[in-house]
Amino acid sequence: MADDRAAHDHTRVQEFFGARAADWDSRFPDDGPAYAAAVTALGLRPGDAVLDAGCGTGRALEALRTAVGRAGVVLGVDLTPAMLAEARRAGRDAHGRLLLADVARLPLRTRSLDAVFGAGLISHLPQPADDLRELARVVRPGGRLALFHAVGRAALAARQGREITPDDLRAEINLRPLLAGSGWLMTSYVDEDDRFLALATRQEGALDG
């Protein structure tokens, strides 16, 4: 049953983003500076290894590469082939290695990364606690996580013609304990009209045993 549900969730995500991949970048032409600022807030250092989880068309990859330098490692993982194809068409694979994979089952060694960047990620995770735990698995203790969106919760809800509901995972009251139960300690939370950014640190021993 769990495998059937996972397959359904994967198909739904791939259909949603696959249908939008070709014009995805043109829908958000002015997000570049917001992405760069969020990457800066992640506090990467030259030589770091960083994952763009749910990288889509790879809009964060150039900023991530700039932050870690030529000696660093930049990986972009996405579940939708069409999104990765658009990233390659835009030449963004020059900034990092692109992988077709599920963030719930990353083909990466435990504690092999220094940081994870996730733009628009949290609302598309079928099993948020399990998926955030998998992200924690591949990050060393003390490593960092950035959950980012180029607009805040209220602005996004207005754009989509909906109301913010109490169970919104991006609400601080929900996100903080969700992260804590998945191996992360939230260190910063910003929810403004022009950006959403939650930063967290991987906790030593939080998932051991």
Side-chain angles (χ1 to χ4, degrees), residues 20-93:
R20 294 162 173 79
D23 67 346
W24 189 258
D25 286 353
S26 65
R27 297 172 62 188
F28 311 103
D30 303 320
D31 285 355
Y35 271 78
V39 169
T40 296
L42 186 53
L44 294 167
R45 294 164 295 191
D48 276 354
V50 60
L51 170 68
D52 185 355
C55 66
T57 60
R59 289 185 291 164
L61 294 179
E62 183 175 4
L64 292 170
R65 172 57 66 193
T66 298
V68 303
R70 294 182 64 182
V73 174
V74 177
L75 302 173
V77 166
D78 202 272
L79 189 62
T80 305
M83 282 292 203
L84 294 178
E86 287 300 314
R88 293 188 178 95
R89 190 180 65 80
R92 292 174 180 146
D93 54 335

Side-chain angles (χ1 to χ4, degrees), residues 101-122:
D102 182 2
V103 297
R105 296 180 181 85
L106 292 167
L108 301 173
R109 289 181 291 109
T110 297
R111 301 188 176 193
S112 60
L113 301 177
D114 297 290
V116 173
F117 182 84
L121 177 68
I122 189 71

Side-chain angles (χ1 to χ4, degrees), residues 51 103 106 109-113 115-116 128-145 178-185 201-208:
L51 170 68
V103 297
L106 292 167
R109 289 181 291 109
T110 297
R111 301 188 176 193
S112 60
L113 301 177
V116 173
D130 292 341
D131 297 339
L132 288 169
R133 192 172 293 114
E134 173 67 354
L135 294 179
R137 179 187 68 80
V138 300
V139 174
R140 63 170 177 79
R144 300 166 303 284
L145 169 70
L178 175 62
L179 287 168
S182 304
W184 301 97
L185 174 67
T201 300
R202 170 70 164 91
Q203 295 301 284
E204 176 74 58
L207 303 179
D208 295 344

Side-chain angles (χ1 to χ4, degrees), residues 121-204:
L121 177 68
I122 189 71
S123 60
H124 294 288
L125 296 178
Q127 303 290 327
D130 292 341
D131 297 339
L132 288 169
R133 192 172 293 114
E134 173 67 354
L135 294 179
R137 179 187 68 80
V138 300
V139 174
R140 63 170 177 79
R144 300 166 303 284
L145 169 70
L147 297 174
F148 164 74
H149 204 291
V151 297
R153 293 190 307 129
L156 182 62
R159 177 187 294 176
Q160 296 175 342
R162 59 176 177 82
E163 299 278 337
I164 295 179
T165 58
D167 61 351
D168 182 356
L169 289 180
R170 295 196 305 159
E172 183 174 8
I173 194 172
N174 298 326
L175 186 57
R176 186 179 293 277
L178 175 62
L179 287 168
S182 304
W184 301 97
L185 174 67
M186 185 188 292
T187 58
S188 176
Y189 181 90
V190 177
D191 181 17
E192 301 170 343
D193 282 349
D194 59 353
R195 72 166 175 162
F196 172 91
L197 181 63
L199 301 175
T201 300
R202 170 70 164 91
Q203 295 301 284
E204 176 74 58

